[in-house]
Amino acid sequence: MKPIIGITMSREHEQQQILSRAYSDAVIQAGGVPLLIPYTTSDKVIKEMSRVLDGLLLSGGGDIDPTLFDEEPLPGLGRIDPERDEMEIALIEQFISQDKPILGICRGCQILNVALGGGMFQDLPSQKSDLLQHAQQAPRYHASHTIHIEEGTLLHRIYRKSVAKVNSFHHQAVREVLAPLRVSAVSRDGVVEAFESEQHRFVMAVQWHPEEMVRINSDAANLFSAFVEACRQQP
């Protein structure tokens, strides 16, 4: 059977739940069945969803509440959605406890790190100097800058290379990464571009948007294929 992949959504006007079709298309292309996760903070519902789903895809979106990593909001912080933060952290905790696959993308990369005890840059341009352009002015499918992938990581096994090009649409970023996570890729300016768990079957996060690249980029397609295959191979 095809694995069922739950995908988190963004929200507009506090009522409209939205998601770019690129996420579900990428899951379908890789052989999975996408299921969009509605907003809820019910522990019972979240536990049941984590039981039914084979994998969790944490999508991109708005900013993360800095109080979750013990910081006060800086002027460059954008709009936050506390309910989304709470729901996604609860989902992450359930999937981690069951050792079910997780793939975090952009904001999903950041909330996964926060849920596992790490910190963030609230606003890269005002907190870090000598930056590359991380909010590209180019089509979403375009790979705009390079990343350096650590050998011996799952990401390196998937990409089968040490240097790759990715797209980029963010102003927040992962800062410190704590065990059992390890950084698996960085950009030339030192920004964390990917990390993964060393204790779980498949827990990975990337700062770029591979879902926007899968139709023209084999690296991105291979990443989704590896994720979906991990979801298929449940113990």
Side-chain angles (χ1 to χ4, degrees):
M1 294 179 62
K2 293 180 181 291
I4 302 173
I5 315 298
I7 311 176
T8 59
M9 294 186 283
S10 295
R11 186 163 60 174
E12 288 187 353
H13 313 299
E14 297 188 3
Q15 295 298 322
Q16 297 176 342
Q17 300 171 91
I18 62 171
L19 181 76
S20 166
R21 178 176 171 176
Y23 290 100
S24 54
D25 282 352
V27 169
I28 292 170
Q29 179 178 318
V33 176
L35 188 66
L36 307 191
I37 300 176
Y39 273 61
T40 179
T41 53
S42 166
D43 289 338
K44 290 183 178 180
V45 173
I46 288 172
K47 286 180 180 178
E48 186 63 19
M49 285 193 295
S50 68
R51 185 188 69 80
V52 171
L53 295 171
D54 298 307
L56 175 64
L57 176 55
L58 299 163
S59 66
D63 287 2
I64 294 170
D65 184 353
T67 62
L68 293 173
F69 46 97
D70 298 322
E71 289 188 7
E72 297 292 336
L74 298 178
L77 180 69
R79 184 177 182 273
I80 65 172
D81 187 339
E83 186 178 3
R84 181 177 185 181
D85 293 339
E86 180 181 352
M87 179 188 74
E88 291 187 345
I89 289 173
L91 282 167
I92 290 165
E93 290 172 347
Q94 286 295 318
F95 274 76
I96 288 289
S97 69
Q98 298 174 55
D99 196 13
K100 287 188 172 183
I102 301 174
L103 176 61
I105 292 177
C106 199
R107 174 204 150 88
C109 170
Q110 298 155 10
I111 195 66
L112 179 58
N113 187 50
V114 169
L116 296 178
M120 286 178 51
F121 290 106
Q122 294 184 42
D123 178 50
L124 269 176
S126 63
Q127 292 184 277
K128 197 175 189 310
S129 59
D130 300 321
L131 287 172
L132 301 175
Q133 184 186 66
H134 287 276
Q136 71 184 51
Q137 304 298 310
R140 294 187 68 81
Y141 60 80
H142 177 68
S144 67
H145 71 73
T146 58
I147 60 169
H148 296 261
I149 304 172
E150 289 291 325
E151 293 187 13
T153 61
L154 175 58
L155 183 63
H156 192 272
R157 292 197 295 274
I158 294 170
Y159 270 48
R160 292 177 289 183
K161 61 181 70 172
S162 296
V163 178
K165 288 188 70 177
V166 300
N167 56 6
S168 190
F169 302 95
H170 65 104
H171 83 105
Q172 294 198 311
V174 168
R175 192 165 53 197
E176 62 268 9
V177 172
L178 305 180
L181 303 178
R182 67 171 291 187
V183 174
S184 51
V186 296
S187 51
R188 289 192 177 184
D189 54 6
V191 172
V192 174
E193 291 285 341
F195 64 80
E196 59 193 56
S197 173
E198 296 186 289
Q199 292 183 2
H200 300 88
R201 293 189 305 113
F202 191 110
V203 172
M204 180 182 291
V206 299
Q207 185 58 71
W208 64 95
H209 280 270
E211 80 284 357
E212 299 284 357
M213 304 172 69
V214 292
R215 295 188 182 279
I216 62 170
N217 183 286
S218 61
D219 294 334
N222 289 340
L223 176 58
F224 269 92
S225 294
F227 170 57
V228 171
E229 183 59 29
C231 295
R232 181 181 288 111
Q233 295 178 355
Q234 294 295 341

